[in-house]
Amino acid sequence: MTFTHAETFTTRPTLEGSFGMTASTHWLATASSQAVLERGGNVFDAAVAGAFVLHVVEPHLNGPGGDMVGIFATAGAPDKPQVLMGQGPAPAGALIQHYRALGLESVPGAGALAAAIPAAVDAWLVLLRDHGTWGLAAVLDFAIGYAEDGHAILPGAVRAIRAVAALFQEHWPTSAALWMPDGKIPEPGQIVRNPEYAQVLRELITAGADETGRVAQIEAARTEWKTGRVAQSAAEFVQTPHRHSDGGDYAGVITAEDFASHSAGYEDPISIEFRGHTIAKSGPWGQGPALLQALKILEGYPDEQLDPGTEIGAHLILEAQKLALADRDTYYGDVPVNLEHLLSADYAAQRRGQISERASTEFQPGQVPGMEQVLPTLVEVSDAVTGAGAGEPTVSKAGETKGDTCHLDVVDRWGNIVSATPSGGWLQSSPVVEGLGFCLGTRLQMTWLDERSHSRLEPGRRPRTTLTPTLVLKHGAPLIALGTPGGDQQDQWQLPMLLRMLIGGHTAQQAIDAPTLHTTSMPGSFWPRAWEPGGAVVEDRLGTELIEGLRRRGHQVTTAGDWALGRLSCVMRDPETGRLSAAANARGAQGYAAGR
């Protein structure tokens, strides 16, 4: 069957080929990754090169002081996908009592108190060490070039700088020096440079200059990152109190010992079967299982009721997501979570029975054996404050940020495939560390200052991240790697895309271009953690009839514009023929796919 909105016209073609494919949220990262493939590198060489370029060209969306989550499969073990875990834990000094003693009721959304241990750089180096073929200098050459020689700054980065210009000038002088040279906000397209970060990358290469062999050189770079100038400078810098998003001035708690204490690595994914496909995600320290829960709930409906372009399909999708996200916000965290129950057919049927013809405005987590039901604080804040109606990232004048992320997918002719979502360490996260050219991240804002919560702030525990790339397999072989930026919306935007591709007959580009929607009827993962009971955000192209139908059902609908929601991309490989394909999002005129 064919779902609605499978128009023959698409904003770009679904690329087809047999050599290699890359898709990302910035054309320079896509081009850099593809260049690596063209020069004989594999998926992992290409992804690491593209990821470091993203640090440079999308500084408002990710940075080396942030985090990342990836999921991949190798040609040698296609049926054994792995999660690349680049989410650092809370530092040793990140104690609930310390934050409460400062008068805080939640972890701020901007400022070094919200910094988890940076793990993105270490994760990319681990992936390159274990599965790449190139040396570190060749892989980092692209990012060093853009940092030293410059690149055209994006309109989105300019908007972020403009939003926090007063904060930079009044409280964060190191950030003003880097992002507002001569005291002026850059113009879109202006060439900007970051020589300090280029020097950091050169020092990683130099650290292994006397080592013999690729692996030893990468290990030396990892040691330099975690114990050298970066760790020492960052730890010293945050000891000086600085402005946070709540208006207070505090020192950070991260230390050089924290940097040295954490190593990135791999984990087995969590997966379910859905309509003949295996959907693989990260564990409950992320939000990935919420997508799996929503799919299990929707599995019980006939195909014709799962079209996101129909009133019934849109309604069921919104309601299933509310239930899954309620469980996310009640039970998920870097703790043992009873996923066997949460992903079981019986539990999905029970949750399905809670969906009616009317929109729910309640927060409805289920009962999970062996787990205490610890409800999050429910705070209602207007759209004007939360930015709930927006699909693109929002940045407040205090540096508070929602949904800023980037994404990268790569597949090669040998059958290696990766999907990765780097994030955090945004230029507006906290002050630029003097001499480094980047700042620390703010992922700890996703923890609660509640000792009973499964996602509480606690040293050594990872914050429950929103980063959630997806790998789809069929008959034990990778088929699709996909993902999107978007904070709490990441899995919500992936869900309609998957339904359109796996059931509705859409090509990848048709599914990405098709109008989408999401719910805001859950506590936000970003400070100030607000929710909008019954809230739904839709693209206008879904049509007046559908939108009015949702309103009649009780959904509190916000229309976001025709092309406003989702920044999805994907790469694909047909396991039977080896044929490759790719597609990327046109919204925002920034993401691109390339390949042949």
Side-chain angles (χ1 to χ4, degrees):
M1 67 178 298
T2 301
F3 282 0
T4 54
H5 299 102
E7 286 85 354
T8 54
F9 169 80
T10 54
T11 58
R12 291 93 178 267
T14 296
L15 305 184
E16 302 283 349
S18 57
F19 175 79
M21 294 282 169
T22 304
S24 86
T25 47
H26 195 293
W27 65 88
L28 291 178
T30 295
S32 300
S33 294
Q34 192 65 23
V36 173
L37 295 180
E38 295 289 350
R39 289 161 54 185
N42 68 13
V43 149
F44 308 106
D45 304 314
V48 177
F52 278 92
V53 168
L54 287 173
H55 288 164
V56 177
V57 300
E58 291 193 322
H60 60 308
L61 303 177
N62 80 137
D67 30 56
M68 64 80 62
V69 177
I71 189 165
F72 67 93
T74 64
D79 61 336
K80 292 180 172 59
Q82 289 283 284
V83 171
L84 176 61
M85 206 291 292
Q87 176 57 66
L95 300 165
I96 289 177
Q97 55 265 40
H98 174 69
Y99 288 62
R100 283 183 176 161
L102 295 173
L104 296 169
E105 296 182 0
S106 60
V107 179
L113 272 179
I117 299 171
V121 167
D122 193 44
W124 288 119
L125 295 180
V126 165
L127 186 70
L128 181 67
R129 177 197 69 190
D130 295 342
H131 297 289
T133 63
W134 278 26
L136 184 61
V139 167
L140 295 183
D141 184 59
F142 299 87
I144 291 172
Y146 289 121
E148 284 191 335
D149 302 331
H151 61 93
I153 192 168
L154 293 166
V158 172
R159 287 193 296 271
I161 294 169
R162 184 175 295 115
V164 292
L167 174 70
F168 282 7
Q169 291 174 315
E170 295 173 22
H171 300 287
W172 296 1
T174 53
S175 297
L178 177 60
W179 299 113
M180 299 174 61
D182 301 319
K184 297 179 181 178
I185 298 169
E187 296 294 327
Q190 181 177 325
I191 300 301
V192 297
R193 296 174 174 83
N194 192 341
E196 290 183 343
Y197 182 48
Q199 180 59 28
V200 168
L201 296 181
R202 290 194 183 281
E203 288 171 2
L204 297 184
I205 297 168
T206 302
D210 296 332
E211 301 292 338
T212 301
R214 195 182 69 87
V215 169
Q217 291 168 356
I218 294 171
E219 279 299 299
R222 293 183 65 213
T223 299
E224 172 64 25
W225 173 261
K226 292 191 286 186
T227 64
R229 185 168 72 92
V230 167
Q232 299 294 331
S233 296
E236 181 180 355
F237 182 79
V238 302
Q239 290 176 13
T240 301
H242 55 273
R243 184 56 49 93
H244 283 58
S245 57
D246 71 325
D249 292 335
Y250 317 107
V253 296
I254 196 167
T255 66
E257 289 74 21
D258 290 318
F259 273 80
S261 69
H262 178 70
S263 290
Y266 309 109
E267 295 183 2
D268 291 330
I270 306 300
S271 64
I272 63 161
E273 299 300 310
F274 178 80
R275 297 295 202 270
H277 297 81
T278 302
I279 317 296
K281 302 288 289 184
S282 70
W285 50 268
Q287 66 173 332
L291 174 63
L292 305 184
Q293 284 191 243
L295 285 169
K296 291 293 291 185
I297 293 168
L298 295 174
E299 188 177 37
Y301 295 99
D303 288 353
E304 60 269 20
Q305 291 189 11
L306 297 182
D307 182 350
T310 63
E311 179 186 329
I312 183 61
H315 172 71
L316 292 177
I317 288 167
L318 290 169
E319 295 305 295
Q321 288 176 334
K322 290 177 193 176
L323 295 171
L325 291 168
D327 285 340
R328 179 198 74 171
D329 291 311
T330 302
Y331 296 112
Y332 289 15
D334 191 13
V335 297
V337 177
N338 189 349
L339 288 179
E340 182 178 358
H341 178 78
L342 287 168
L343 297 175
S344 68
D346 287 346
Y347 184 68
Q350 175 190 330
R351 298 294 265 163
R352 196 179 306 124
Q354 294 177 263
I355 297 177
S356 72
E357 296 297 313
R358 297 284 299 170
S360 170
T361 58
E362 303 297 319
F363 183 77
Q364 300 182 84
Q367 297 290 335
V368 179
M371 298 195 73
E372 182 183 3
Q373 190 181 77
V374 183
L375 300 180
T377 303
L378 298 177
V379 178
E380 293 186 37
V381 183
S382 69
D383 284 357
V385 176
T386 66
E392 289 302 299
T394 58
V395 182
S396 79
K397 63 182 179 181
E400 165 204 337
T401 305
K402 298 179 180 67
D404 280 52
T405 315
C406 48
H407 189 76
L408 176 71
D409 303 301
V410 192
V411 64
D412 64 26
R413 62 191 184 276
W414 299 291
N416 301 300
I417 191 169
V418 63
S419 180
T421 309
S423 187
W426 315 305
L427 64 84
Q428 62 275 14
S429 292
S430 61
V432 167
V433 178
E434 193 166 11
L436 299 186
F438 64 88
C439 60
L440 298 178
T442 55
R443 192 62 62 177
L444 295 185
Q445 67 182 289
M446 297 182 177
T447 63
W448 295 97
L449 301 183
D450 177 355
E451 291 87 348
R452 295 168 56 245
S453 172
H454 301 295
S455 58
R456 62 188 173 272
L457 178 69
E458 186 174 313
R461 289 195 190 276
R462 293 168 287 186
R464 200 271 302 146
T465 182
T466 52
L467 308 179
T468 178
T470 300
L471 191 64
V472 179
L473 302 92
K474 191 168 186 178
H475 305 310
L479 179 68
I480 310 170
L482 76 150
T484 178
D488 288 308
Q489 285 77 55
Q490 287 181 36
D491 279 328
Q492 295 200 61
W493 292 335
Q494 291 180 60
L495 178 56
M497 179 179 174
L498 286 170
L499 294 174
R500 284 172 165 134
M501 292 182 70
L502 302 185
I503 300 175
H506 281 44
T507 65
Q509 193 64 52
Q510 285 174 328
I512 289 172
D513 284 351
T516 195
L517 73 168
H518 64 264
T519 181
T520 52
S521 190
M522 78 289 169
S525 295
F526 297 88
W527 187 88
R529 315 300 298 270
W531 82 311
E532 182 186 9
V537 183
V538 303
E539 285 186 311
D540 298 47
R541 289 181 298 125
L542 282 169
T544 301
E545 185 178 348
L546 185 154
I547 293 169
E548 290 306 314
L550 291 179
R551 286 181 170 138
R552 284 193 299 271
R553 290 173 180 265
H555 295 277
Q556 303 300 309
V557 178
T558 299
T559 53
D562 283 344
W563 297 88
L565 305 182
R567 284 174 282 160
L568 292 145
S569 66
C570 76
V571 295
M572 302 178 64
R573 182 178 186 273
D574 185 325
E576 295 182 2
T577 66
R579 190 165 181 82
L580 310 179
S581 57
N585 172 55
R587 298 166 179 86
Q590 189 173 310
Y592 270 90
R596 66 177 179 87

